[in-house]
Amino acid sequence: MSYHILHLLSHSLRVRIKLDQLHITDLDSGTDKSVPLADVAVIVCAARDTEFSSSSLRRMAELNVLLLVCNEKFEPCAITLPYYRATNTELLRRQIEWTPEWKTALWRQIITAKVRNQAANLAHLKRAHAVLSGIAERCAKGRVTAPAAPDGIPLSESSSPDFVHHGLAQPQKISLSAITASKRAAFLLDSPNACESRAARHYWKYLLPRLSEGQETDEKRRVPGTREGVNGMLDYGYAILRTAVLRSLAAHGFIAAIGIAHVPKAGSFALADDVMEPLRPWIDRELRQFLQGGKRPMQEWMRQAVSVLQLEVSLNRNKLRLLNAIDVYVQSFADAAMARMSLPLKIPMLP
């Protein structure tokens, strides 16, 4: 599959297609450039007054090229996705028939990989890394144990951990004594959601202050949707990952609205949100490195965030770009769906 990322940042551009060459004209300067559309994976447009011809949009859809449209603050506000076309009707039937047991087993693999990638980001902090590694191991085994608080102290029913619910804009603090017996039991079990919640609280406690220090903000919590500061930068990076995952899901014939853990809502892509979870730490690491030199503008981060997809990944003893590794990951998900078994997912892991 194609792998280049095309940025459209200059204002007053006109985009047309001719012989599968994308012709981009700068109306202010009169200059014209062309790019083979077959070599492009994603187009990021943050240029004011850019014009796309209908034939260029049609051909982008046919070649599974995704267009991410940003506003003047470089915040993603729209994405084009090819209208669903079945490439494997058997896969469609399997997706509709996913059982709760199968979905839980795959979700456990995904969350275990996510927590391990989070641990890799905190490897320089031995104690923090050890706690996250322990949570990942418990999640993988599904062992019934009382959860440990971030400081390693067992939680009691009077504790109030940050329990993250999918679909909410931000974490909510919930006392275990205030929830139903079934939900309390699920939390005390090493369920994927419980492990993800405990890991997130611990992870952001150490990582977010370090990020906000570099950007000269005072953010102490991960709050999606703020569109400001470090949280806004993280949201932008995650939007790039989501775009790449959506592209791969569409290419393999999945219905992105049907997920395994995230609650589907109108206009949502629940499966993309599920699949991208273990990939988020890739953006976290890139942002930490980006901010090491001090405060940086969003426009610079926009270019840097997209470059994450070009990072080299070791997968199956091969070296490939993260964008292509996502395709391998999604294919392994399709293989597990077709086999109706919890086959090992080929998830890109941080070194």
Side-chain angles (χ1 to χ4, degrees), residues 84 88-98 255 337-338 340:
Y84 179 74
N88 187 335
T89 56
E90 181 64 21
L91 178 60
L92 284 178
R93 288 194 291 270
R94 296 293 171 86
Q95 186 175 3
I96 294 170
E97 296 169 355
W98 283 342
I255 300 176
M338 290 296 293
R340 296 177 179 172

Side-chain angles (χ1 to χ4, degrees), residues 51-317:
E51 301 174 6
F52 288 88
S53 67
S54 60
S55 57
S56 67
L57 293 173
R58 173 184 57 78
R59 193 60 180 142
M60 278 187 243
E62 290 173 348
L63 294 179
N64 197 35
V65 177
L66 267 64
L67 172 63
L68 182 66
V69 181
C70 303
N71 61 21
E72 293 181 356
K73 295 181 179 179
F74 307 105
E75 300 162 350
C77 56
I79 182 174
T80 65
L81 188 68
Y83 185 77
Y84 179 74
R85 55 185 184 275
T87 57
N88 187 335
T89 56
E90 181 64 21
L91 178 60
L92 284 178
R93 288 194 291 270
R94 296 293 171 86
Q95 186 175 3
I96 294 170
E97 296 169 355
W98 283 342
T99 65
E101 295 77 15
W102 184 87
K103 290 192 289 186
T104 298
L106 269 291
W107 185 235
R108 186 176 296 281
Q109 285 193 56
I110 287 172
I111 295 304
T112 298
K114 177 183 180 179
V115 178
R116 284 175 176 160
N117 275 341
Q118 289 176 329
N121 274 342
L122 297 185
H124 59 291
L125 302 173
K126 292 184 179 180
R127 186 169 179 232
H129 174 269
V131 172
L132 288 175
S133 296
I135 293 174
E137 291 305 312
R138 292 197 297 272
C139 184
K141 296 176 181 177
R143 191 173 59 192
V144 180
T145 59
D151 295 329
I153 303 172
L155 288 169
S156 67
E157 293 199 357
S158 61
S159 301
S160 298
D162 287 339
F163 196 86
V164 179
H165 294 269
H166 297 294
L168 294 181
Q170 62 186 41
Q172 289 186 341
K173 287 193 173 183
I174 298 178
S175 171
L176 290 181
S177 60
I179 63 178
T180 63
S182 60
K183 289 184 178 180
R184 188 186 309 120
F187 186 87
L188 293 175
L189 289 171
D190 281 324
S191 67
N193 285 354
C195 290
E196 181 187 24
S197 174
R198 295 198 299 276
R201 179 177 178 177
H202 188 79
Y203 180 65
W204 293 115
K205 172 184 175 182
Y206 289 95
L207 184 63
L208 198 59
R210 190 170 292 249
L211 296 177
S212 61
E213 180 183 359
Q215 195 62 3
E216 299 179 13
T217 62
D218 190 29
E219 298 162 84
K220 295 181 173 61
R221 295 179 59 198
R222 171 70 185 124
V223 185
T226 61
R227 299 188 176 185
E228 296 178 353
V230 169
N231 275 289
M233 287 180 151
L234 288 168
D235 287 343
Y236 180 82
Y238 297 153
I240 294 295
L241 282 178
R242 195 170 188 250
T243 300
V245 170
L246 277 169
R247 172 181 177 271
S248 188
L249 289 173
H252 285 83
F254 282 104
I255 300 176
I258 302 177
I260 61 174
H262 282 82
V263 178
K265 298 179 292 185
S268 68
F269 300 108
L271 186 57
D273 294 331
D274 292 332
V275 170
M276 71 171 284
E277 286 297 341
L279 305 175
R280 290 176 184 268
W282 286 85
I283 287 292
D284 304 340
R285 171 172 289 189
E286 193 69 17
L287 182 57
R288 180 168 63 87
Q289 294 174 348
F290 176 74
L291 295 177
Q292 282 180 347
K295 189 175 182 179
R296 308 282 289 277
M298 183 64 172
Q299 187 170 358
E300 286 187 25
W301 169 239
M302 181 180 176
R303 293 191 181 93
Q304 188 67 26
V306 176
S307 69
V308 170
L309 300 177
Q310 311 292 352
L311 292 177
E312 189 177 76
V313 180
S314 295
L315 195 64
N316 296 335
R317 299 180 181 179

Side-chain angles (χ1 to χ4, degrees), residues 7-73:
H7 293 83
L8 300 178
L9 301 177
S10 300
H11 300 308
S12 301
L13 298 177
R14 177 183 294 163
V15 182
R16 296 168 296 167
I17 190 76
K18 184 178 181 180
L19 299 177
D20 275 357
Q21 292 279 327
L22 207 61
H23 290 266
I24 306 168
T25 303
D26 189 322
L27 299 178
D28 291 334
S29 65
T31 58
D32 187 86
K33 296 182 180 180
S34 62
V35 180
L37 189 57
D39 293 341
V40 178
V42 179
I43 298 175
V44 180
C45 178
R48 188 175 60 247
D49 300 327
T50 298
E51 301 174 6
F52 288 88
S53 67
S54 60
S55 57
S56 67
L57 293 173
R58 173 184 57 78
R59 193 60 180 142
M60 278 187 243
E62 290 173 348
L63 294 179
N64 197 35
V65 177
L66 267 64
L67 172 63
L68 182 66
V69 181
C70 303
N71 61 21
E72 293 181 356
K73 295 181 179 179

